[in-house]
Amino acid sequence: MNLRFLLSFFVLAFFSSKSFAFTELSFDFGYDKQVYGSLRQNKQTSRSYQASIAFFLYKYTAIELNASHSEQETLENNVIPVSGTDVSVVSLSTNVTSDTLGIGFRQAFAARNAFIRPSISIGYANQRIKDRTTFTFRDNGTGVTDRFSDPINKLRLDSIFMSFSMQVQLTQLFAIKGSVQSVFPAFDFDRATDDLKYTAGFSWIF
């Protein structure tokens, strides 16, 4: 995630704290690892980071700005012969990164000082995705290996973000939280659950 953009969240929080009912700054992190294959030779690892700031106009309703970065790496170690040659593909690695900026609304369902505070968020997101696939080939006669990487594919999407969060208020200003988040192509609601992320984090109220 761009460090300059993250710093802007703190600046916005500081200068806007007196302009709204209150302001909430949140950070979330998610991690997932899956190992699969008959010999457990394959794995998929994903990480996600998100920062958000919510300007509460009223007791329960806020304007939300958020920025997120996610990485997903898939490594498959399977031997696949290349037809008509003495060469095999012995591994395939795919790396996908996504950077997202969003603006929308947050609706809380309990007051700021409630011990349990659920909320939902929805809005527009600008999503930039990069992916690259790397193949490792082996000469079956000599055992020599070589790597080949595809060019980086870049994609920009106008998307919708949605999230559900549950906060536990530890002090008057500090809370821990768990969230379910989704980003999907705009108005393609059939894909809303295709890329769910489960995160944990914390938030401050100013």
Side-chain angles (χ1 to χ4, degrees):
M1 188 184 299
N2 191 308
L3 180 60
R4 183 179 299 177
F5 194 89
L6 263 182
L7 291 174
S8 71
F9 274 79
F10 290 101
V11 174
L12 281 169
F14 179 79
F15 286 106
S16 64
S17 58
K18 296 182 180 180
S19 303
F20 300 89
F22 63 94
T23 301
E24 186 170 44
L25 185 65
S26 303
F27 296 93
D28 295 90
F29 172 72
Y31 177 81
D32 181 66
K33 180 180 178 180
Q34 299 180 27
V35 177
Y36 59 99
S38 59
L39 299 176
R40 298 174 55 83
Q41 76 276 23
N42 308 318
K43 69 175 181 177
Q44 183 178 83
T45 306
S46 60
R47 298 175 179 85
S48 62
Y49 314 85
Q50 177 170 295
S52 66
I53 186 168
F55 305 105
F56 278 81
L57 308 175
Y58 306 102
K59 188 176 182 180
Y60 298 110
T61 305
I63 295 173
E64 178 179 319
L65 302 174
N66 58 60
S68 64
H69 174 79
S70 65
E71 304 172 4
Q72 179 176 289
E73 183 177 14
T74 303
L75 178 63
E76 296 188 344
N77 295 304
N78 301 310
V79 178
I80 305 172
V82 179
S83 179
T85 71
D86 196 28
V87 174
S88 297
V89 178
V90 294
S91 74
L92 184 151
S93 174
T94 302
N95 185 272
V96 181
T97 62
S98 175
D99 292 288
T100 305
L101 299 177
I103 180 170
F105 294 96
R106 181 185 299 180
Q107 182 65 41
F109 298 100
R112 57 178 285 185
N113 58 350
F115 180 65
I116 302 293
R117 188 163 169 259
S119 65
I120 60 172
S121 299
I122 186 170
Y124 166 80
N126 180 270
Q127 195 173 18
R128 298 178 183 271
I129 302 171
K130 297 179 182 179
D131 71 87
R132 166 174 277 185
T133 301
T134 300
F135 302 87
T136 301
F137 296 92
R138 183 186 65 198
D139 186 310
N140 297 326
T142 64
V144 175
T145 60
D146 195 12
R147 290 186 176 183
F148 171 79
S149 295
D150 286 341
I152 297 176
N153 295 315
K154 298 181 180 181
L155 182 64
R156 178 188 173 280
L157 293 174
D158 291 317
S159 304
I160 291 175
F161 76 86
M162 298 178 66
S163 69
F164 173 78
S165 299
M166 186 71 73
Q167 292 188 184
V168 178
Q169 206 73 22
L170 299 182
T171 70
Q172 186 177 1
L173 301 178
F174 181 78
I176 57 175
K177 58 184 293 196
S179 302
V180 182
Q181 305 171 0
S182 176
V183 180
F184 54 94
F187 306 112
D188 193 355
F189 289 95
D190 289 340
R191 299 178 61 183
T193 59
D194 286 359
D195 186 23
L196 293 178
K197 292 182 174 63
Y198 300 88
T199 64
F202 49 88
S203 64
W204 287 283
I205 291 177
F206 297 86

